[in-house]
Structure formats: C-alpha cells, structure tokens
DNA sequence: CTGAAAGCGCTAACAG
DNA sequence: CTGTTAGCGCTTTCAG
C-alpha cells in the first residue's frame, strides 16, 4: 500500500467521523450552517472544537475553483500615499475570507504589465490597480478578464470599476487658491513624472490660463520625489526665475523641501513666497508655517475600492462603477492672504 | 457520468498529451528540469508555450504539502520605518516561489496573538515578526512551530532567528553624541510607547547616567507618533522644563516636530537647542538645519531577514541565527558643536 | 436535510 | 530517466 505523507492535522473526515456524519455535512455546516439541522450542526461544532480542526484553504480553493486572493498592484510601497491606501485595503479585507497579494510596480509600465500577467494567471478573485494609464496590452488583456477590477487614485474611464478624483481639477483648485490669495508669479514643481503628477501639472496650467498674462514656470524631474529633491529643485528654480512669488508643488514632500529652502535663504513664507503642496501628509500641518495642500481621503479610497470588489464578488449590485471621491483644498498659513506688496502686484498684473 | 466543472484552463495532463509524455514528466520538467532528458524537456516546453500552460498553485501546494506563503506580521503599514522593511522583504521574495502574506498588528499584543494563531493555522512556510516582545502565549506557541521564524528590528534572544540592532545602544550613542557636542540639560521625547521606544528611552537614561549630576527629563505619550505630536510634546516640555538645551527624540517625526516648535518660538537650533532624532527618515537630511539622527538599514534588514528564512527553507546552513545589523549616528547641523554660552554651561554643570 | 461517489490539478511513492 | 497509481483535503454532482 502506498501510504502518503498526510499533513498530520485533522481533516474534514476526522470531524465527520467524530460527529458521526458524512464529510459533506461538515463541509456544509462550515460554509452555510443553515443547510444543516441544528442537532447535527451542534455535534459538528463540538467535534471541530475538540479536534481543533481548521479547514485547509488550498483544498477548499482547489475543489471549489474559487480563489480567495485579491491582487493589489501599486507603484510604491514606501510612499506614504500608498501606505494609507494599503491600510484601508487591509482593514476592509481583514474580516472577509479574502487575502491580499501585493505587487510593487515601481512606477514602471513594463513592471505593471509583467505583474498583471503574472497575477492574472494565478486567477485572483479580483484585482486592484493604481491609475488609469495601463499599457494598451494590459488594458485589453484585462478588459476580458473574468474577475472584477477596480482602479484607484484617479477619476475617469476605468477598465471595470474605479474610484478616485481628478488630479487635474484638484491641482487647478490649488493653484486657483494661490491666485485668490493674490500671488501672481506662480511656479510648478514636480518629480517622478508619473501620470498623476502630469495631470496636476496640467491643472496648474489650466489655472494659470485663467490669469491674464501669466506664463507657466515649470520645473519637473523624472527622478523620485522627496523632501531633499524638493529643496534642490526649488533652489534651482529660484536661481533661474528670480521673480516668482508662489510655488505649487506636485506633492507635500516637494512642498516641505521648498519651505526648507525658503528658510535657508531667508525668504518669508507666506509673505514673500506662497507654497501649496498636494496629498496632505501629516507633516504638512505641523510645519512652520503650516503648509496648504490638497487632501484626498486615501484610506477611505482603499476601503471603498475593496468594498466595490467585495460587492461584486458577493453578487451584490454595485452602485456607481466609477466613483469620484473628491478632494479638499486645505488652506493654511503658507498661503495666507498676501501683504501689501503683493496686493500691489495684483492690481498691477491682474487688473 | 458526473462531469465536473473544469476551470477551463489547460492542465498538466493537456501538456502531457500534447508532448506525448506522462503527466509526472511534465511535473518534473517544471520543477527540476535536470531530471528530464533534453529531448523530452524541449517537447514539453514547446507544449507549455503552445497551450499557454500555467501550473495551478493551489493544486501544487495541496499535492506537495508545501506552502508557499511567508507570513509577515508588522505593527504598522503606514509608518515609513516599516514601509522600508516591507520594500526589502518584497524585493527579496519576488524572484522566489514564495508569496508574502502581510498582517497588521497595530502595535497591539492582543492583535499579534490573534494574527499569529490565525496565520499559523494556514501553515505558512515561514513567519516574520517585528520585535522580541511577543506575549508568553505566542512565544511558546511559536517555539514549537515547525516553520522557521525570524524576528526583525531588535537584537537579542529570538524564538528562532533574528536580525536587528540594540535600540538601547543606538539611543545611548545618540545621547552621548549630544553630550559630546557640549549639551548638558538633555530631555527625551517619546510617543507610542512601543518596546523599541522604551528601549531608546533606556538608552537615553544610560547615557545621562554617565553625565555627572544630570537628571532625566522625559516626556512620553502612549499616543501615536507624528510631527504634530512632536511639536505639541516639545511645546509642553518647553513650558515645564525651561532650561533644557537639547532634546533626544525617539524618532524623526518627533524630532522634526521639535524643530518646528523651535522655529515657531524663535529658538536657535543648534545654538540654543540641540536636536537628535532616530531612524534617519528622508526628511531629516533636508530640514533646516539638517537633523542629526540614528540610521538603521531597514531595507537591508528586511532583505536579510527573508534571506535567512529562504536559506532555511532551502535546507541551506544559515550562518549566525541572531544577527546584529548595527546602526550609525548621523551627525548633522542640528547638533553642531555648541557656541560659547553652552560651552560655559558645560564647565559650569559638567565639571 | 443528508450522503456516496467522483474529481479539482498536481505530486510522492514505487516500479521499471 | 520515465510512467503508473494513489491520494493531498475538500466540494460538486446526483440521488435519496
């Protein structure tokens, strides 16, 4: 007889034997207790407790063909922005039968293509992606995937479902806030050049277009973002464009860097220089002066994205497949109403 | 005939049929190509490509009894400290057959107990935990687990393997650096009160003990850390202990908050107040003045921790099971050699 | 509501 | 080096 190395832990058959029922009844008692009479159910639960039985997930999946994996592909695991999203994702998934499988695309389209294909072959129950800018290959590949897909961060045409906001609108609102404060020579600082960053740049351009005579002053680097990068970029900008009176930063890291550079150069914020960031990282509120920024509820976005997937997996009717989660411009001291000098500039330039 | 809903995708039997070999040969060709003759191997590879065959992981695991899951339990997914560790973990695991299953213990021992039990039942291939302070229940439960376990962050007696450094020694070195710079009335700021934080506090005490006549001035809150928290705590401290000339912060968030509070109050750093943090977050170097801190290579720690697990899983001999990854005190402008006023204080107080 | 049989897709064991 | 057979632990199908 070919005896096989059993795992040693109790199986459903052990429970069935102890409870004096068939294995399938135990299986039913576990998955849908209502299908089993109360008496048997009690006997089974007793046996489960006694044996310390825990179902073998692999066997469940193999037999049922139902995966319990939700694939999550994000461009960064370090960036606080995604850390908040991840927290929301995990919190929402924790009480369910599903597990998260995270992949790091490193802001690379090729890597995203590779991971989407890799994960898709594992037949996940669902998939979560960041952004709307997947490659054509990946979009068409996923378009006829049989699992639900949600794209987060941005608001727009999604493959299946989506939740996020318009980064262009958000940046436009931020820059408009600078204009409302009286700033007139407004620059834009960007890094990494990922799709969201470029859309914020576009929003900056749109806002400036509404300001007669204003010309875009932009400095973007493909290099990763960071406080040090923000400081260096802003320093470079100040050396070139000497007459700027405000800077819209593509994120709060850059904004904090810009603030530090102002401190280092003795430039008064907000009097001589207005600064606004993006993302509302925790540090922004504590800075001196506190940095104005744009807030998106990333934790909630992560939660709701998973919620949409779960609804679909449970066959529930999902409401809107494309959700705009919105944003808030957070006004703080770094963009206070300007002093007379700049007010003068307003009347001079803005008319 | 009871026909069953097949998943639709090609199975190993399909490949075997197309290649004209037995299923097991395909299985071998995939797992250990050397066991199969070159001719068959080529035919099999050809068939795999043609059918676009991808092995069913669940079936592999079920049949072999070999899990491919490495459970990772961390106290936070948001904290940059763990984000770096996570990046190291994922980078090291990516090219292997293993997957990471992350759990968030939220700095709670109860939650850690719960998740360890939950994950352990799934029979992971290995487990990674943060810190050495698991509950007695969990420690003894894991002590006779059959999978390898690595504990990261701290250096000390581990359940199985460990990699990290002594946070007490690191903090002692940081405070000693303050003393070497001439600071004499040194306070300690802490938050969250997790085990590492308390060990840093102990290191602070040890360093002060070496300073004749110095008394600890400590302010710790059980609340989560953050820049705003650091600012508030330091403000509270300044209102009470008016004569402190330096502050050792349990992490860089708090240190940046302390720096901001100094800026808000017009306290000159480093002349009137020395500040040192912990962790060397990216922002610390870019602050004005740049903040001194303690660096631990968290990315490398994550990588090596997984490396230790992989070595064990592959039956390789692991070198030292308990690794001290060390730390570096990073000296920056926030703790520059002090001016005459403080030098005077030194001779007056330090003797 | 309950059960026996069949089989998910793969691999360990044994034999050649 | 290759194949046959049995079976991992569970759930679906079909029959009561």
């Amino acid at each position: 007889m070919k005896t096989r190395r059993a795992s040693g832990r109790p199986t459903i058959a052990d429970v069935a034997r102890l409870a004096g029922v068939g294995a399938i009844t135990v299986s039913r008692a576990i998955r849908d207790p209502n299908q089993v009479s109360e008496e048997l159910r009690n006997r089974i639960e007793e046996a489960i407790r006694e044996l310390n039985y825990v179902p073998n997930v692999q066997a469940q999946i193999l037999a049922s063909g139902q995966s319990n994996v939700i694939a999550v592909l994000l461009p960064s695991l370090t960036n606080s922005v995604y850390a908040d999203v991840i927290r929301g994702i995990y919190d929402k998934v924790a009480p369910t039968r599903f597990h998260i499988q995270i992949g790091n695309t490193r802001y690379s389209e090729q890597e995203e293509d590779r991971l989407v294909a890799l994960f898709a072959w594992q037949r996940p129950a669902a998939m979560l992606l960041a952004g709307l800018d997947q490659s054509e290959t990946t979009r068409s590949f996923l378009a006829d995937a049989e699992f639900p897909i949600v794209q987060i961060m941005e608001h727009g045409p999604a493959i299946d479902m989506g939740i996020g906001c318009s980064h262009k609108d958000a940046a436009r609102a931020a820059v408009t806030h600078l204009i409302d404060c009286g700033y007139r020579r407004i620059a834009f600082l960007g890094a990494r050049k990922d799709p969201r960053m470029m859309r914020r740049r576009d929003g900056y351009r749109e806002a400036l277009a509404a300001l007669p005579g204003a010309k875009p002053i932009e400095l973007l680097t493909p290099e990763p973002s960071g406080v040090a990068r923000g400081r260096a970029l802003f320093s470079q900008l100040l050396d070139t464009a000497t007459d700027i009176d405000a800077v819209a930063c593509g994120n709060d890291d850059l904004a904090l860097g810009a603030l530090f550079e102002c401190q280092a150069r003795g430039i008064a914020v907000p009097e001589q220089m207005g600064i606004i960031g993006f993302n509302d990282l925790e540090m922004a509120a504590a800075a001196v002066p506190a940095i104005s920024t744009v807030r998106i509820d990333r934790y909630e976005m992560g939660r709701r994205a998973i919620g949409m997937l779960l609804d679909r997996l449970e066959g529930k009717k999902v409401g809107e497949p494309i959700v705009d989660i919105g944003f808030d411009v957070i006004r703080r001291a770094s963009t206070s109403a300007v002093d007379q000098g700049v007010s003068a500039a307003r009347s001079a330039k803005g008319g």
Side-chain angles (χ1 to χ4, degrees), chain A:
Chain A
M1 178 188 155
K2 301 186 182 183
T3 184
R4 196 87 173 273
R5 70 286 95 116
S7 70
R9 71 195 224 187
T11 73
I12 206 167
D14 297 323
V15 177
R17 209 171 304 127
L18 184 61
V21 299
I24 186 60
T25 308
V26 177
S27 173
R28 289 196 185 106
I30 291 168
R31 285 172 301 147
D32 188 1
N34 294 337
Q35 281 188 51
V36 179
S37 71
E38 192 177 330
E39 198 208 315
L40 287 192
R41 206 190 318 148
N42 289 337
R43 291 227 306 270
I44 289 168
E45 280 166 6
E46 172 67 30
I48 287 177
R49 220 167 311 130
E50 190 164 329
L51 294 174
N52 233 320
Y53 167 75
V54 179
N56 180 319
V57 190
Q58 317 302 344
Q60 282 181 315
I61 295 172
L62 180 59
S64 68
Q66 298 216 334
S67 165
N68 68 340
V69 174
I70 297 179
V72 171
L73 262 44
L74 298 174
S76 164
L77 303 180
T78 316
N79 190 325
S80 304
V81 168
Y82 295 104
D84 289 331
V85 172
I86 289 175
R87 208 162 40 86
I89 289 172
Y90 273 92
D91 282 0
K92 185 74 181 182
V93 160
T96 73
R97 69 181 186 87
F98 294 97
H99 287 300
I100 296 300
Q101 187 91 53
I102 285 201
N104 182 0
T105 65
R106 301 157 188 278
Y107 291 99
S108 151
E109 194 172 84
Q110 287 81 5
E111 188 64 3
E112 184 170 64
D113 288 351
R114 196 182 71 82
L115 289 176
V116 164
L118 186 71
F119 280 46
W121 280 124
Q122 321 270 22
R123 303 252 160 160
M127 190 176 275
L128 184 152
L129 297 170
L132 303 171
D133 299 87
Q134 285 70 31
S135 73
E136 195 39 57
T137 320
T138 288
R139 277 190 78 89
S140 61
F141 174 70
L142 290 178
D144 38 47
E146 70 285 19
F147 47 80
I149 299 163
V150 66
Q151 288 162 282
I152 62 168
M153 305 309 289
E154 301 198 56
H155 179 65
I159 298 169
D160 181 7
M161 298 184 289
I163 180 165
C165 74
S166 165
H167 288 240
K168 189 168 83 169
D169 290 357
R172 175 153 31 75
V175 176
T176 300
H177 166 62
L178 285 174
I179 294 172
D180 290 346
C181 286
Y183 299 105
R184 286 298 172 266
R185 298 275 303 162
I186 304 169
F188 182 84
L189 234 51
R192 181 73 82 175
K193 289 194 171 175
D194 68 291
R196 262 80 65 206
M197 183 60 73
M198 298 322 279
R199 260 161 220 149
R200 290 176 208 148
R201 196 264 330 259
D202 294 344
Y204 159 78
R205 287 183 182 175
E206 282 191 5
L208 273 208
L211 186 62
K215 286 196 309 269
I217 308 161
E218 301 170 2
L219 185 55
L220 288 96
T221 171
E223 297 293 309
S225 181
V227 182
R229 184 85 55 192
R231 219 185 134 171
L233 279 179
F234 194 53
S235 176
Q236 189 183 332
L237 189 69
L238 287 174
D239 290 342
T240 327
T242 49
D243 60 343
I244 64 175
D245 63 7
V247 60
C249 299
N251 65 44
D252 283 356
D253 292 346
L254 298 174
L256 184 61
L259 173 60
F260 283 141
E261 185 60 20
C262 287
Q263 291 179 350
R265 292 188 182 220
I267 298 172
V269 177
E271 295 80 5
Q272 296 172 273
M273 183 68 62
I275 299 178
I276 191 161
F278 202 101
N279 284 334
D280 193 26
L281 299 193
E282 193 260 341
M283 54 158 86
V288 178
I291 301 174
S292 297
T293 186
V294 176
R295 177 186 298 161
I296 300 169
D297 195 339
R298 299 182 291 275
Y299 175 81
E300 186 61 18
M301 188 167 64
R303 280 188 67 89
R304 289 180 64 182
I306 294 296
M308 291 163 81
L309 293 176
L310 292 175
D311 283 351
R312 272 275 275 283
L313 290 170
E314 288 162 9
K316 278 192 210 160
K317 186 73 192 157
V318 181
E320 275 299 309
I322 311 276
V323 177
D324 186 350
I325 200 171
F327 59 85
D328 289 299
V329 176
I330 310 292
R331 291 142 203 247
R332 298 204 179 103
S334 73
T335 55
S336 281
V338 290
D339 66 16
Q340 288 203 313
V342 183
S343 291
R346 167 195 280 175
S347 38
K349 291 177 188 169

PDB file of all heavy atoms in Angstrom, chain A residues 22 26 30 52 61-62 85 90 104 116 134 157 163 186 190 197 200 244 262 270 294 308 326 333 342:
ATOM      1  N   GLY A  22     -21.584  12.531   7.575  1.00  0.00           N
ATOM      2  CA  GLY A  22     -20.781  12.469   6.371  1.00  0.00           C
ATOM      3  C   GLY A  22     -19.903  13.705   6.250  1.00  0.00           C
ATOM      4  O   GLY A  22     -20.211  14.758   6.808  1.00  0.00           O
ATOM      5  N   VAL A  26     -20.295  18.130   7.161  1.00  0.00           N
ATOM      6  CA  VAL A  26     -19.375  19.023   7.884  1.00  0.00           C
ATOM      7  C   VAL A  26     -19.049  20.211   6.993  1.00  0.00           C
ATOM      8  O   VAL A  26     -19.062  21.366   7.431  1.00  0.00           O
ATOM      9  CB  VAL A  26     -18.076  18.274   8.247  1.00  0.00           C
ATOM     10  CG1 VAL A  26     -17.099  19.222   8.921  1.00  0.00           C
ATOM     11  CG2 VAL A  26     -18.392  17.096   9.160  1.00  0.00           C
ATOM     12  N   ILE A  30     -19.921  24.190   7.789  1.00  0.00           N
ATOM     13  CA  ILE A  30     -18.927  25.256   7.865  1.00  0.00           C
ATOM     14  C   ILE A  30     -19.282  26.416   6.949  1.00  0.00           C
ATOM     15  O   ILE A  30     -19.214  27.575   7.341  1.00  0.00           O
ATOM     16  CB  ILE A  30     -17.526  24.716   7.480  1.00  0.00           C
ATOM     17  CG1 ILE A  30     -17.021  23.767   8.563  1.00  0.00           C
ATOM     18  CG2 ILE A  30     -16.545  25.861   7.290  1.00  0.00           C
ATOM     19  CD1 ILE A  30     -15.812  22.967   8.141  1.00  0.00           C
ATOM     20  N   ASN A  52      -9.778  20.664  17.205  1.00  0.00           N
ATOM     21  CA  ASN A  52      -9.052  21.862  16.808  1.00  0.00           C
ATOM     22  C   ASN A  52      -8.908  21.906  15.297  1.00  0.00           C
ATOM     23  O   ASN A  52      -7.854  22.233  14.753  1.00  0.00           O
ATOM     24  CB  ASN A  52      -7.675  21.872  17.451  1.00  0.00           C
ATOM     25  CG  ASN A  52      -7.438  23.160  18.188  1.00  0.00           C
ATOM     26  OD1 ASN A  52      -7.834  24.218  17.697  1.00  0.00           O
ATOM     27  ND2 ASN A  52      -6.815  23.073  19.345  1.00  0.00           N
ATOM     28  N   ILE A  61      -9.929  25.801  -2.092  1.00  0.00           N
ATOM     29  CA  ILE A  61      -9.830  26.541  -3.341  1.00  0.00           C
ATOM     30  C   ILE A  61      -9.764  25.588  -4.531  1.00  0.00           C
ATOM     31  O   ILE A  61     -10.427  25.781  -5.548  1.00  0.00           O
ATOM     32  CB  ILE A  61      -8.579  27.440  -3.323  1.00  0.00           C
ATOM     33  CG1 ILE A  61      -8.717  28.502  -2.238  1.00  0.00           C
ATOM     34  CG2 ILE A  61      -8.377  28.086  -4.674  1.00  0.00           C
ATOM     35  CD1 ILE A  61      -7.469  29.321  -2.016  1.00  0.00           C
ATOM     36  N   LEU A  62      -8.977  24.551  -4.370  1.00  0.00           N
ATOM     37  CA  LEU A  62      -8.828  23.601  -5.475  1.00  0.00           C
ATOM     38  C   LEU A  62     -10.169  22.950  -5.811  1.00  0.00           C
ATOM     39  O   LEU A  62     -10.558  22.870  -6.973  1.00  0.00           O
ATOM     40  CB  LEU A  62      -7.804  22.525  -5.103  1.00  0.00           C
ATOM     41  CG  LEU A  62      -7.564  21.467  -6.176  1.00  0.00           C
ATOM     42  CD1 LEU A  62      -7.070  22.103  -7.457  1.00  0.00           C
ATOM     43  CD2 LEU A  62      -6.563  20.424  -5.682  1.00  0.00           C
ATOM     44  N   VAL A  85      -3.420  54.033   1.549  1.00  0.00           N
ATOM     45  CA  VAL A  85      -4.329  53.223   0.739  1.00  0.00           C
ATOM     46  C   VAL A  85      -4.271  51.767   1.194  1.00  0.00           C
ATOM     47  O   VAL A  85      -5.301  51.110   1.387  1.00  0.00           O
ATOM     48  CB  VAL A  85      -3.947  53.326  -0.751  1.00  0.00           C
ATOM     49  CG1 VAL A  85      -4.764  52.340  -1.567  1.00  0.00           C
ATOM     50  CG2 VAL A  85      -4.141  54.744  -1.262  1.00  0.00           C
ATOM     51  N   TYR A  90      -6.344  46.732   3.658  1.00  0.00           N
ATOM     52  CA  TYR A  90      -6.232  45.640   4.632  1.00  0.00           C
ATOM     53  C   TYR A  90      -7.350  45.673   5.654  1.00  0.00           C
ATOM     54  O   TYR A  90      -7.886  44.637   6.035  1.00  0.00           O
ATOM     55  CB  TYR A  90      -4.868  45.679   5.326  1.00  0.00           C
ATOM     56  CG  TYR A  90      -3.825  44.931   4.554  1.00  0.00           C
ATOM     57  CD1 TYR A  90      -3.029  45.568   3.618  1.00  0.00           C
ATOM     58  CD2 TYR A  90      -3.649  43.563   4.726  1.00  0.00           C
ATOM     59  CE1 TYR A  90      -2.081  44.879   2.883  1.00  0.00           C
ATOM     60  CE2 TYR A  90      -2.715  42.862   4.007  1.00  0.00           C
ATOM     61  CZ  TYR A  90      -1.922  43.520   3.086  1.00  0.00           C
ATOM     62  OH  TYR A  90      -1.000  42.826   2.362  1.00  0.00           O
ATOM     63  N   ASN A 104       4.482  45.289  -6.388  1.00  0.00           N
ATOM     64  CA  ASN A 104       5.065  46.630  -6.466  1.00  0.00           C
ATOM     65  C   ASN A 104       5.517  46.903  -7.892  1.00  0.00           C
ATOM     66  O   ASN A 104       6.468  46.300  -8.364  1.00  0.00           O
ATOM     67  CB  ASN A 104       6.253  46.696  -5.501  1.00  0.00           C
ATOM     68  CG  ASN A 104       6.896  48.060  -5.457  1.00  0.00           C
ATOM     69  OD1 ASN A 104       6.467  48.978  -6.146  1.00  0.00           O
ATOM     70  ND2 ASN A 104       7.925  48.197  -4.641  1.00  0.00           N
ATOM     71  N   VAL A 116       0.782  42.155 -13.847  1.00  0.00           N
ATOM     72  CA  VAL A 116      -0.630  41.895 -14.165  1.00  0.00           C
ATOM     73  C   VAL A 116      -0.743  40.508 -14.781  1.00  0.00           C
ATOM     74  O   VAL A 116      -1.597  39.703 -14.390  1.00  0.00           O
ATOM     75  CB  VAL A 116      -1.192  42.956 -15.133  1.00  0.00           C
ATOM     76  CG1 VAL A 116      -2.491  42.472 -15.765  1.00  0.00           C
ATOM     77  CG2 VAL A 116      -1.432  44.266 -14.405  1.00  0.00           C
ATOM     78  N   GLN A 134      -2.710  52.209 -17.689  1.00  0.00           N
ATOM     79  CA  GLN A 134      -2.066  50.942 -18.017  1.00  0.00           C
ATOM     80  C   GLN A 134      -1.717  50.921 -19.507  1.00  0.00           C
ATOM     81  O   GLN A 134      -2.309  51.654 -20.303  1.00  0.00           O
ATOM     82  CB  GLN A 134      -2.997  49.773 -17.682  1.00  0.00           C
ATOM     83  CG  GLN A 134      -3.114  49.474 -16.206  1.00  0.00           C
ATOM     84  CD  GLN A 134      -3.869  50.531 -15.453  1.00  0.00           C
ATOM     85  OE1 GLN A 134      -4.765  51.171 -16.011  1.00  0.00           O
ATOM     86  NE2 GLN A 134      -3.531  50.763 -14.193  1.00  0.00           N
ATOM     87  N   PRO A 157     -12.305  57.105 -17.079  1.00  0.00           N
ATOM     88  CA  PRO A 157     -12.749  55.861 -17.702  1.00  0.00           C
ATOM     89  C   PRO A 157     -11.936  54.669 -17.212  1.00  0.00           C
ATOM     90  O   PRO A 157     -10.740  54.583 -17.476  1.00  0.00           O
ATOM     91  CB  PRO A 157     -12.508  56.111 -19.191  1.00  0.00           C
ATOM     92  CG  PRO A 157     -11.446  57.155 -19.229  1.00  0.00           C
ATOM     93  CD  PRO A 157     -11.642  58.007 -18.023  1.00  0.00           C
ATOM     94  N   ILE A 163     -12.322  54.276  -8.545  1.00  0.00           N
ATOM     95  CA  ILE A 163     -12.607  55.264  -7.502  1.00  0.00           C
ATOM     96  C   ILE A 163     -11.378  56.141  -7.317  1.00  0.00           C
ATOM     97  O   ILE A 163     -10.260  55.646  -7.202  1.00  0.00           O
ATOM     98  CB  ILE A 163     -13.030  54.601  -6.172  1.00  0.00           C
ATOM     99  CG1 ILE A 163     -13.310  55.677  -5.124  1.00  0.00           C
ATOM    100  CG2 ILE A 163     -11.981  53.615  -5.680  1.00  0.00           C
ATOM    101  CD1 ILE A 163     -14.062  55.165  -3.908  1.00  0.00           C
ATOM    102  N   ILE A 186       3.440  82.382 -10.327  1.00  0.00           N
ATOM    103  CA  ILE A 186       3.336  81.078  -9.679  1.00  0.00           C
ATOM    104  C   ILE A 186       4.064  79.996 -10.470  1.00  0.00           C
ATOM    105  O   ILE A 186       3.792  79.815 -11.665  1.00  0.00           O
ATOM    106  CB  ILE A 186       1.854  80.680  -9.508  1.00  0.00           C
ATOM    107  CG1 ILE A 186       1.117  81.795  -8.731  1.00  0.00           C
ATOM    108  CG2 ILE A 186       1.727  79.342  -8.810  1.00  0.00           C
ATOM    109  CD1 ILE A 186      -0.385  81.633  -8.727  1.00  0.00           C
ATOM    110  N   GLY A 190       7.597  69.595  -9.878  1.00  0.00           N
ATOM    111  CA  GLY A 190       7.144  68.210  -9.980  1.00  0.00           C
ATOM    112  C   GLY A 190       8.307  67.232  -9.966  1.00  0.00           C
ATOM    113  O   GLY A 190       9.430  67.585 -10.280  1.00  0.00           O
ATOM    114  N   MET A 197       1.127  63.023 -11.442  1.00  0.00           N
ATOM    115  CA  MET A 197       1.933  64.240 -11.389  1.00  0.00           C
ATOM    116  C   MET A 197       1.709  65.073 -12.651  1.00  0.00           C
ATOM    117  O   MET A 197       1.533  66.294 -12.576  1.00  0.00           O
ATOM    118  CB  MET A 197       3.412  63.842 -11.260  1.00  0.00           C
ATOM    119  CG  MET A 197       4.374  65.011 -11.118  1.00  0.00           C
ATOM    120  SD  MET A 197       4.065  66.037  -9.667  1.00  0.00           S
ATOM    121  CE  MET A 197       4.664  64.974  -8.346  1.00  0.00           C
ATOM    122  N   ARG A 200      -1.528  66.848 -12.537  1.00  0.00           N
ATOM    123  CA  ARG A 200      -1.508  68.010 -11.641  1.00  0.00           C
ATOM    124  C   ARG A 200      -0.842  69.179 -12.369  1.00  0.00           C
ATOM    125  O   ARG A 200      -1.267  70.319 -12.250  1.00  0.00           O
ATOM    126  CB  ARG A 200      -0.754  67.675 -10.351  1.00  0.00           C
ATOM    127  CG  ARG A 200      -1.523  66.692  -9.480  1.00  0.00           C
ATOM    128  CD  ARG A 200      -0.729  66.283  -8.250  1.00  0.00           C
ATOM    129  NE  ARG A 200      -1.124  64.935  -7.830  1.00  0.00           N
ATOM    130  CZ  ARG A 200      -0.329  64.045  -7.260  1.00  0.00           C
ATOM    131  NH1 ARG A 200       0.941  64.351  -7.014  1.00  0.00           N
ATOM    132  NH2 ARG A 200      -0.773  62.856  -6.935  1.00  0.00           N
ATOM    133  N   ILE A 244       9.480  84.851  -8.945  1.00  0.00           N
ATOM    134  CA  ILE A 244       8.273  84.108  -8.592  1.00  0.00           C
ATOM    135  C   ILE A 244       7.841  84.456  -7.170  1.00  0.00           C
ATOM    136  O   ILE A 244       8.668  84.762  -6.312  1.00  0.00           O
ATOM    137  CB  ILE A 244       8.463  82.583  -8.718  1.00  0.00           C
ATOM    138  CG1 ILE A 244       9.510  82.086  -7.741  1.00  0.00           C
ATOM    139  CG2 ILE A 244       8.843  82.205 -10.131  1.00  0.00           C
ATOM    140  CD1 ILE A 244       9.637  80.581  -7.745  1.00  0.00           C
ATOM    141  N   CYS A 262      13.287  77.987   1.456  1.00  0.00           N
ATOM    142  CA  CYS A 262      12.950  79.368   1.797  1.00  0.00           C
ATOM    143  C   CYS A 262      13.543  79.740   3.151  1.00  0.00           C
ATOM    144  O   CYS A 262      14.109  80.822   3.323  1.00  0.00           O
ATOM    145  CB  CYS A 262      11.425  79.552   1.842  1.00  0.00           C
ATOM    146  SG  CYS A 262      10.663  79.537   0.221  1.00  0.00           S
ATOM    147  N   PRO A 270       4.338  83.136   4.405  1.00  0.00           N
ATOM    148  CA  PRO A 270       3.813  83.287   3.043  1.00  0.00           C
ATOM    149  C   PRO A 270       4.017  84.670   2.445  1.00  0.00           C
ATOM    150  O   PRO A 270       3.595  84.892   1.316  1.00  0.00           O
ATOM    151  CB  PRO A 270       2.321  83.062   3.269  1.00  0.00           C
ATOM    152  CG  PRO A 270       2.072  83.688   4.601  1.00  0.00           C
ATOM    153  CD  PRO A 270       3.312  83.423   5.413  1.00  0.00           C
ATOM    154  N   VAL A 294      -3.662  69.801  -0.735  1.00  0.00           N
ATOM    155  CA  VAL A 294      -4.912  69.221  -1.223  1.00  0.00           C
ATOM    156  C   VAL A 294      -5.078  67.865  -0.569  1.00  0.00           C
ATOM    157  O   VAL A 294      -4.152  67.047  -0.581  1.00  0.00           O
ATOM    158  CB  VAL A 294      -4.896  69.057  -2.748  1.00  0.00           C
ATOM    159  CG1 VAL A 294      -6.171  68.367  -3.223  1.00  0.00           C
ATOM    160  CG2 VAL A 294      -4.725  70.407  -3.433  1.00  0.00           C
ATOM    161  N   MET A 308     -16.116  47.756  -3.266  1.00  0.00           N
ATOM    162  CA  MET A 308     -16.711  47.575  -4.588  1.00  0.00           C
ATOM    163  C   MET A 308     -16.415  46.173  -5.124  1.00  0.00           C
ATOM    164  O   MET A 308     -17.278  45.515  -5.699  1.00  0.00           O
ATOM    165  CB  MET A 308     -16.171  48.640  -5.545  1.00  0.00           C
ATOM    166  CG  MET A 308     -16.662  50.052  -5.216  1.00  0.00           C
ATOM    167  SD  MET A 308     -15.672  51.368  -5.995  1.00  0.00           S
ATOM    168  CE  MET A 308     -16.370  51.369  -7.650  1.00  0.00           C
ATOM    169  N   GLY A 326     -13.557  62.880  -4.712  1.00  0.00           N
ATOM    170  CA  GLY A 326     -13.386  64.303  -4.421  1.00  0.00           C
ATOM    171  C   GLY A 326     -12.090  64.650  -3.720  1.00  0.00           C
ATOM    172  O   GLY A 326     -11.233  63.791  -3.489  1.00  0.00           O
ATOM    173  N   ALA A 333      -1.290  78.386   6.711  1.00  0.00           N
ATOM    174  CA  ALA A 333      -0.525  79.637   6.798  1.00  0.00           C
ATOM    175  C   ALA A 333       0.426  79.864   5.623  1.00  0.00           C
ATOM    176  O   ALA A 333       0.782  81.004   5.323  1.00  0.00           O
ATOM    177  CB  ALA A 333       0.268  79.653   8.110  1.00  0.00           C
ATOM    178  N   VAL A 342       2.421  92.437  -2.395  1.00  0.00           N
ATOM    179  CA  VAL A 342       1.870  91.522  -3.385  1.00  0.00           C
ATOM    180  C   VAL A 342       0.486  91.986  -3.841  1.00  0.00           C
ATOM    181  O   VAL A 342       0.108  91.808  -4.981  1.00  0.00           O
ATOM    182  CB  VAL A 342       1.820  90.092  -2.827  1.00  0.00           C
ATOM    183  CG1 VAL A 342       1.324  89.136  -3.890  1.00  0.00           C
ATOM    184  CG2 VAL A 342       3.205  89.666  -2.365  1.00  0.00           C
TER     185      VAL A 342
END
